[in-house]
Amino acid sequence: MLVVVAAYMLDLLVGDPRWLPHPVVIIGKVIAGLEKFLRRVAGSPLSLRIAGVVLAAVVVGSSYLAAHFLIRLAALVHPWLALGLEVWLIATTFAVRGLAGAARDVLLPLSRGDLDLARQQVGFIVGRDTHAMDAREMTRATVETVAENIVDGFVSPLFYALIGGAPLAVAYRAVNTLDSMVGYRNDLYRDLGWASARLDDVANFLPARWTGLLLVAAAWLSGRRAGEAWQVMRKDARRHPSPNSGIPEAAMAGALGVRLGGLNYYGGQASFRAYLNESGHPPLIDHIRQAVDMLYLTAALAVINGLAVKLVFCSLL
């Protein structure tokens, strides 16, 4: 448990320095290499679906085993080295500082009226088209991204770190990376990426619901609309196309009193997302700052709540 707290503090203090190697980069290269190989040997839709299962199993399994092996190897040198390595590995699965920084990178040019730079910064954190976005759409996209990524950027890896330490947290990050690289519902990845997308849905199922409750608690503690966050989450989360992302987005929409969802464009194609908290007003630029505040408070509550539950559970064993 102290390892998890240390990893959380490390993420808050330094985030992901570019000069340090990052496991996600290695995982991404493995996924890209395996995808090329599997596409060469799998020609039919059925064989691609089977290859998708193989891809997910190999990447997630090897990520878990690599982290486990490295920690065991470090322990042979010195226990403190193993401890430090585990702290660092878990910290690389957290992204509170990075997510907050990415949101502020949009907030600052928006506040100055520099829409071109703001569009460039939004493009780094969303998959939708950004070249024609106005300030209101960029603000909405940023608030939605902060809300959604509270789950896979912190609560989910924390959840798995508390259960299985660094190896399980790194395995979760492999699941999430697979989904971000191949888990698309388009012609290119519909067959190869289906297993990765479903695995990501399963892995985030419990953490997303935990996040929703934490966001309601964060809204209450910060004097925001806790009751509305709870009501919007219960009423509107299911309207989101993702079984998990709608929960934190709906809770955030209710807590801030804003309306999320609406018309997005992907590769020039229009895609309408159902409104979350339809009676709310469109988010203003300051709501980005408020969403970041909710991110930090929710992360802190997740650590406190997670450690408390684990202490109770351990005391019962």
Side-chain angles (χ1 to χ4, degrees), residues 11-313:
D11 176 63
L12 291 182
L13 291 173
V14 301
D16 294 317
R18 294 183 179 180
W19 56 270
L20 272 178
H22 200 289
V24 169
V25 175
I26 300 172
I27 292 170
K29 290 180 179 179
V30 171
I31 293 170
L34 280 174
E35 179 186 348
K36 290 180 181 178
F37 170 75
L38 291 170
R39 287 192 182 279
R40 286 199 299 267
V41 300
S44 67
L46 177 59
S47 61
L48 278 171
R49 290 178 75 85
I50 296 172
V53 175
V54 173
L55 175 65
V58 170
V59 171
V60 176
S62 61
S63 297
Y64 179 92
L65 291 174
H68 178 75
F69 174 77
L70 286 173
I71 293 169
R72 292 290 296 272
L73 189 63
L76 294 177
V77 178
H78 197 282
W80 284 103
L81 179 61
L83 189 67
L85 178 60
E86 184 158 19
V87 168
W88 174 73
L89 284 173
I90 294 174
T92 64
T93 69
F94 295 161
V96 175
R97 183 185 176 96
L99 180 57
R104 292 193 185 103
D105 286 343
V106 179
L107 173 62
L108 291 176
L110 274 179
S111 300
R112 297 194 303 262
D114 188 347
L115 299 188
D116 288 336
L117 179 57
R119 290 187 189 101
Q120 179 181 337
Q121 295 298 331
V122 172
F124 292 142
I125 60 175
V126 300
R128 65 192 77 170
D129 298 345
T130 62
H131 62 276
M133 281 185 174
D134 59 17
R136 180 172 293 180
E137 286 303 304
M138 286 187 277
T139 300
R140 174 172 70 86
T142 305
V143 172
E144 289 172 351
T145 297
V146 171
E148 177 183 358
N149 283 283
I150 293 174
V151 178
D152 53 22
F154 185 72
V155 177
S156 283
L158 172 69
F159 179 83
Y160 291 105
L162 288 169
I163 294 173
L168 199 57
V170 171
Y172 166 76
R173 182 54 65 203
V175 171
N176 186 247
T177 306
L178 277 163
D179 182 63
S180 67
M181 290 183 66
V182 304
Y184 299 103
R185 295 176 177 86
N186 55 29
D187 293 338
L188 182 61
Y189 287 109
R190 183 173 291 110
D191 295 313
L192 183 66
W194 76 275
S196 296
R198 296 293 78 74
L199 184 59
D200 186 74
D201 288 343
V202 171
N204 285 311
F205 186 85
L206 290 177
R209 282 140 187 86
W210 184 24
T211 302
L213 296 175
L214 292 168
L215 279 164
V216 173
W220 180 75
L221 287 172
S222 60
R224 294 184 171 89
R225 300 169 175 85
E228 192 172 338
W230 171 254
Q231 292 171 3
V232 174
M233 182 174 66
R234 292 192 62 192
K235 178 173 65 75
D236 290 347
R238 69 193 70 178
R239 304 176 69 189
H240 196 282
S242 166
N244 298 316
S245 298
I247 294 173
E249 287 189 32
M252 183 72 81
L256 302 186
V258 300
R259 183 184 68 200
L260 299 180
L263 187 62
N264 301 325
Y265 289 89
Y266 299 89
Q269 300 297 313
S271 175
F272 183 81
R273 293 280 180 88
Y275 288 124
L276 306 176
N277 192 26
E278 191 166 3
S279 62
H281 55 76
L284 304 174
I285 293 175
D286 187 62
H287 286 116
I288 296 177
R289 180 191 59 78
Q290 294 187 43
V292 171
D293 290 344
M294 289 286 286
L295 160 67
Y296 277 117
L297 183 53
T298 302
L301 289 174
V303 173
I304 295 168
N305 181 224
L307 293 177
V309 171
K310 182 149 187 173
L311 280 170
V312 171
F313 180 77

